[in-house]
Amino acid sequence: MEGLVTIILAAGLGKRMKSKHPKVVHKVAGKPMIEWVVDAAKELGSREIIVVVGHRAEEVKEVLGEKVRYAYQEMQLGTGHAVMVAEDLLPEEGIVLILTGDTPLITASTLNNLVNFHIKENNTVTILSSVVEDPTGYGRILRDKSGNVIKIVEDKDATELEKSIHEINSAMYVMDIVMLREALKNITNDNAQGEYYLTDAVGIIRQMGGKIGAYVTPYEEIMGVNSRIQLFEAEKIMRRRINYKHMKNGVTIIDPDVTYIDAEVEIGADTIILPGCVIEGKTKIGSDCEIGPNCRIVDSEIGNGCNVMYSVILSSKVGNNVKMGPFAHIRPDNVIYDNVKIGDFVEIKKSIVKEGSKIPHLTYVGDAEIGKNVNMGCGSITVNYDGKQKHKIIIGDNVFVGCNVNLVAPVKIGDNAYIAAGSTITEDVPEGALAIGRNRQVNKEGWVQERIKKGRL
Ligand code: UD1
Ligand code: CA
């Protein structure tokens, strides 16, 4: 679609969302609604995308950044008025694709069909329409007896007879720019909502002698999101699309209805995703993994052959063949190398864990560097915080840390060292040493008998 210019209307408040944020920045499958529409227009090959912003414009601009150009609509006087404020940015002639920011399910492929239909039919205006069971709330497409489109009537302005029409306006159109300019001059706000309707341009262009057509498409892609309930409905459809895409690529998803994968997530073939997983952001998961049940993975990279269950992984990198969980909490900024085992009730933060190390249960590792083949005993912890500052703990290769050990930072444990169970280590341990940092055990023989004799037990 070389040379195509697209306008996306996104200045409205979205009252029915009952939100302090503009409607179009609400997310569907982890991506703001407006971005879905912009990406579809980009994929289609739009040369230029103009987004009309108004209500809390800065929030919309924050989402889209430099990806698009902006037109500013100070007062939201209607969809026709919104196009008027973008008029100056349009080329002299040619066609313009007009979209709205609240239809995240639209795909580049449908838009491509719409534009091609417009060109093939030699239309002046082509409306993307749909025939639906319940048309309530939508503008209706009025056709004459021979089926030619005459105009669009808004729900609030429709007669009872017009309301019985099931073909609806998606608010997506291709229009001839010269004719659109002429029509915009003649739009009034003399209607039920006192707004300048873009839909009126359609009837006006017809009266000017333009050829109007409608390209009918299934409802799924044109569903508008106006309320939180519709947001959920769109989310449901988008999640299913994403899950099916992964399944087509060779990923097993046991139950897509309870698996939530964001748009940009990548997953390798033969990985199995068990129910209850929420996989977000720019996460990449390798092949032959088993993830879940019930994991939350955000902006993380996981290698091949990993097994992760009932765990949370945030902004971290995990190597190959790592076994994790149940109930591990991998907080941000960790690098976990290959063949590491992280067991139940383990929390790791801002740390490096090298190849083959095992942290099987009840351990906290923070601000630490753990070498290769280290064994962290049950209940061993890094004491990285002195109440004011964080300090580092460095553990060499092949170190054996016994159960219930406190490693008080800053401290360094040399390669091949052993730390006796129950130790509190406050000084560096040299390579190959055994460190014991606890009181010796004392057995007081006959103590119980003694007490009984004194009548104190
Ligand atoms: C619009 C159409 C209706 C169609 C429906 C499909 C009009 C008059 N009606 O109605 O025929 O069936 O979409 O979903 O066009 N906007 C602005 N500035 C404004 C007003 C709206 O930028 O002054 C933007 C909104 O942010 C939104 C889009 O235009 O993204 C549509 O506006 P909305 O108020 O949701 O229109 P609908 O009532 O849904
Ligand atoms: Ca709408």
Side-chain angles (χ1 to χ4, degrees):
M1 288 300 152
E2 236 168 85
L4 183 72
V5 175
T6 300
I7 296 179
I8 304 175
L9 309 184
L13 159 76
K15 272 192 215 112
R16 287 163 281 179
M17 292 295 282
K18 306 247 165 77
S19 173
K20 55 182 172 299
H21 305 291
K23 172 168 72 177
V24 297
V25 306
H26 285 264
K27 287 178 177 172
V28 171
K31 182 157 134 181
M33 266 194 257
I34 181 80
E35 215 182 337
W36 281 109
V37 181
V38 167
D39 286 352
K42 272 224 142 75
E43 195 187 329
L44 180 68
S46 297
R47 165 168 68 89
E48 179 128 74
I49 298 173
I50 302 157
V51 177
V52 181
V53 291
H55 181 78
R56 297 193 74 105
E58 67 290 353
E59 277 192 65
V60 182
K61 286 181 170 177
E62 207 182 303
V63 164
L64 297 175
E66 309 280 289
K67 264 189 182 177
V68 299
R69 290 181 78 185
Y70 298 97
Y72 185 64
Q73 188 191 24
E74 197 176 345
M75 302 239 287
Q76 284 76 61
L77 303 178
T79 48
H81 181 259
V83 175
M84 287 177 208
V85 305
E87 228 188 294
D88 286 350
L89 298 175
L90 288 178
E92 281 305 304
E93 50 180 30
I95 57 170
V96 59
L97 173 67
I98 301 176
L99 307 174
T100 60
D102 64 351
T103 50
L105 295 163
I106 191 68
T107 63
S109 135
T110 296
L111 292 177
N112 194 51
N113 293 345
L114 171 70
V115 177
N116 284 334
F117 180 84
H118 178 86
I119 294 166
K120 196 184 85 213
E121 294 288 309
N122 215 3
N123 284 343
T124 321
V125 172
T126 308
I127 306 158
L128 186 66
S129 77
S130 187
V131 178
V132 299
E133 207 168 299
D134 178 14
T136 314
Y138 286 101
R140 310 294 205 282
I141 309 290
L142 266 60
R143 293 178 185 259
D144 65 16
K145 286 201 184 77
S146 349
N148 302 309
V149 176
I150 307 169
K151 62 173 184 170
I152 302 170
V153 179
E154 285 306 290
D155 187 72
K156 290 200 172 98
D157 300 286
T159 63
E160 282 311 308
L161 188 65
E162 288 164 343
K163 278 188 178 158
S164 68
I165 296 170
H166 286 253
E167 188 181 1
I168 61 157
N169 170 29
S170 71
M172 295 182 241
Y173 326 79
V174 180
M175 296 198 193
D176 175 85
I177 291 171
V178 174
M179 292 293 256
L180 170 64
R181 273 216 177 84
E182 278 310 302
L184 288 176
K185 288 182 193 152
N186 296 310
I187 290 178
T188 68
N189 61 354
D190 182 16
N191 52 53
Q193 304 191 77
E195 286 183 2
Y196 294 90
Y197 291 161
L198 178 60
T199 45
D200 284 354
V202 174
I204 294 170
I205 289 172
R206 183 170 181 275
Q207 279 168 5
M208 283 163 40
K211 184 170 178 248
I212 316 294
Y215 179 76
V216 188
T217 198
Y219 179 65
E220 184 182 291
E221 287 196 23
I222 66 151
M223 193 193 110
V225 173
N226 299 303
S227 65
R228 304 267 180 172
I229 290 168
Q230 286 172 331
L231 183 69
F232 155 75
E233 284 164 354
E235 176 90 15
K236 203 79 190 145
I237 294 167
M238 194 67 89
R239 295 279 181 203
R240 194 192 331 123
R241 270 190 205 167
I242 293 169
N243 288 342
Y244 282 20
K245 175 191 82 185
H246 290 294
M247 289 155 93
K248 281 179 195 151
N249 289 341
V251 177
T252 295
I253 298 178
I254 301 292
D255 188 349
D257 283 340
V258 289
T259 304
Y260 310 85
I261 303 175
D262 279 1
E264 290 178 52
V265 171
E266 292 172 34
I267 308 176
D270 285 320
T271 283
I272 301 172
I273 311 286
L274 292 142
C277 288
V278 182
I279 307 174
E280 297 175 55
K282 294 191 186 333
T283 294
K284 266 190 201 167
I285 297 173
S287 49
D288 303 299
C289 294
E290 195 176 295
I291 309 291
N294 297 340
C295 289
R296 180 168 188 222
I297 303 173
V298 184
D299 292 324
S300 293
E301 232 174 272
I302 294 177
N304 302 322
C306 292
N307 192 321
V308 181
M309 60 168 118
Y310 295 100
S311 293
V312 175
I313 305 176
L314 309 174
S315 305
S316 289
K317 218 176 147 197
V318 176
N320 301 314
N321 302 313
V322 170
K323 306 275 173 273
M324 192 186 295
F327 313 113
H329 184 187
I330 311 301
R331 289 167 53 196
D333 299 327
N334 299 291
V335 183
I336 291 161
Y337 285 68
D338 296 350
N339 303 312
V340 165
K341 178 180 165 30
I342 295 166
D344 42 292
F345 308 106
V346 171
E347 176 178 334
I348 305 186
K349 185 216 92 175
K350 219 176 179 176
S351 293
I352 295 172
V353 183
K354 296 212 177 130
E355 284 92 343
S357 284
K358 293 188 174 66
I359 314 175
H361 16 235
L362 299 159
T363 290
Y364 170 61
V365 174
D367 304 301
E369 231 182 274
I370 297 181
K372 294 180 193 164
N373 301 314
V374 168
N375 188 85
M376 296 288 288
C378 178
S380 61
I381 61 161
T382 55
V383 183
N384 59 325
Y385 186 50
D386 62 10
K388 287 202 179 73
Q389 278 183 42
K390 306 275 166 68
H391 301 278
K392 281 209 82 165
I393 292 106
I394 297 172
I395 302 174
D397 295 342
N398 310 311
V399 168
F400 185 92
V401 178
C403 290
N404 213 31
V405 163
N406 301 310
L407 299 170
V408 183
V411 74
K412 220 169 160 176
I413 316 294
D415 292 348
N416 307 311
Y418 276 66
I419 316 280
S423 293
T424 293
I425 300 296
T426 53
E427 280 162 36
D428 289 356
V429 178
E431 190 181 327
L434 165 66
I436 309 172
R438 63 174 188 230
N439 284 340
R440 273 206 165 275
Q441 182 172 329
V442 178
N443 291 338
K444 298 190 174 177
E445 301 250 2
W447 183 85
V448 174
Q449 220 31 57
E450 197 92 336
R451 287 250 148 171
I452 291 170
K453 236 195 271 169
K454 288 183 177 161
R456 286 170 62 183
L457 264 185

